Amino acid sequence: MALYVRFEGEDGRRGAGLLEGERIRVIAEPFWEETRPTGETVALADVRLLPPCEPRSIVCVGLNYASHLQGRPVPDPPTLFFKPLSSIAGPDDPIVLPTNCGRVDPEGEIVIVIGRQVKGATREQAEAAIFGYTAGNDVSARAWQQQDGQWWRAKGSDTFGVFGPAIVTGLRHDELEVVTRVNGREVQRGRSTELIRDIPEIVRYVSAVMTLVPGDIIYTGTPGSPPEIRPGDVVDVEVTGAGVLRNPVAAAGQDQAGGSG
């Protein structure tokens, strides 16, 4: 098992590395086909972690746990949508609630990270194209989601596409778990074995119509019924092996530090 991260130093320099305890072993980019250490190490405390990859596409699967459907029929075909790249946020970045957006919920999810170009894949080819997994938060403005014909602003607002802190490799797709906590209280828990459409099937289905390239990510769906979040809350999403993705919640217009890219 290895943990891949991206980071930014105090001097603004960005890079990638393997997270090893409290230090990062710097590696050359891109790292999808080969991990090439540069010989440099940096202290985790001296850098800011960024989203662990730079996707070309962000694909999301909706309504993919029975516990989230709450008695509704399973969507057929499955419900898929995109998040814009402008929605990306990373570890410790604030989730900013837009003005007059109404209720906003967190959605903790297992996120697939693609490691090789794939199109029209079989299940076996789809699984082979997966580089690893990370934690994601598909932040969702519920009123906008219900009112709009598309989910573009409900799930695509700035900072609503949160993922990180690390990409974990070497784990099987059927041994993952996601846990969401708000202010330290557990509000969601789900396992990859509970997905209605499992991880290889998701990649296969997406690749049937679009080419996936290294760094692309796919949110696999959220379990249960998450609660509303408000300014001042802190949301943690933990995925097996990938660490804890922690983000404070802020109202639009509040002073906000950081920002990922």
Side-chain angles (χ1 to χ4, degrees), residues 236-252:
D236 292 345
V237 180
E238 183 174 3
V239 164
T240 306
V244 178
L245 175 64
R246 175 167 294 165
N247 300 91
V249 182

Side-chain angles (χ1 to χ4, degrees), residues 43-205:
L44 179 60
D46 293 339
V47 300
R48 180 173 70 93
L49 290 183
L50 303 171
C53 61
E54 298 180 286
R56 186 185 74 172
S57 299
I58 305 173
V59 185
C60 306
V61 185
L63 306 172
N64 201 29
Y65 281 89
S67 61
H68 191 60
L69 284 172
Q70 295 187 317
R72 291 172 291 180
V74 173
D76 188 15
T79 300
L80 273 76
F81 58 94
F82 293 100
K83 282 181 179 285
L85 300 184
S86 57
S87 72
I88 289 175
D92 298 315
D93 289 342
I95 297 168
V96 181
L97 308 185
T99 303
N100 298 322
C101 66
R103 174 177 174 141
V104 175
D105 293 355
E107 291 193 356
E109 307 198 12
I110 298 163
V111 174
I112 302 164
V113 182
I114 299 298
R116 66 177 67 166
Q117 182 167 315
V118 62
K119 173 70 188 299
T122 64
R123 275 183 63 91
E124 291 75 19
Q125 291 167 337
E127 188 168 359
I130 297 170
F131 182 79
Y133 305 94
T134 192
N137 190 348
D138 174 23
V139 184
S140 303
R142 294 302 187 205
W144 289 351
Q145 188 176 1
Q146 294 165 6
Q147 293 168 5
D148 296 351
Q150 297 285 340
W151 292 354
W152 69 277
R153 60 173 180 166
K155 290 174 173 283
S157 296
D158 289 352
T159 75
F160 278 20
V162 198
F163 67 99
I167 304 167
V168 60
T169 63
L171 296 182
R172 289 171 51 92
H173 71 84
D174 57 359
E175 60 184 14
L176 304 171
E177 184 174 51
V178 58
V179 179
T180 307
R181 301 178 181 89
V182 176
N183 302 326
R185 180 176 69 89
E186 183 177 312
V187 297
Q188 289 181 288
R189 182 180 291 266
R191 298 191 62 83
S192 54
T193 51
E194 299 168 350
L195 291 166
I196 294 170
R197 291 175 173 87
D198 70 5
I199 284 170
E201 173 60 17
I202 290 168
V203 177
R204 185 207 67 77
Y205 186 84

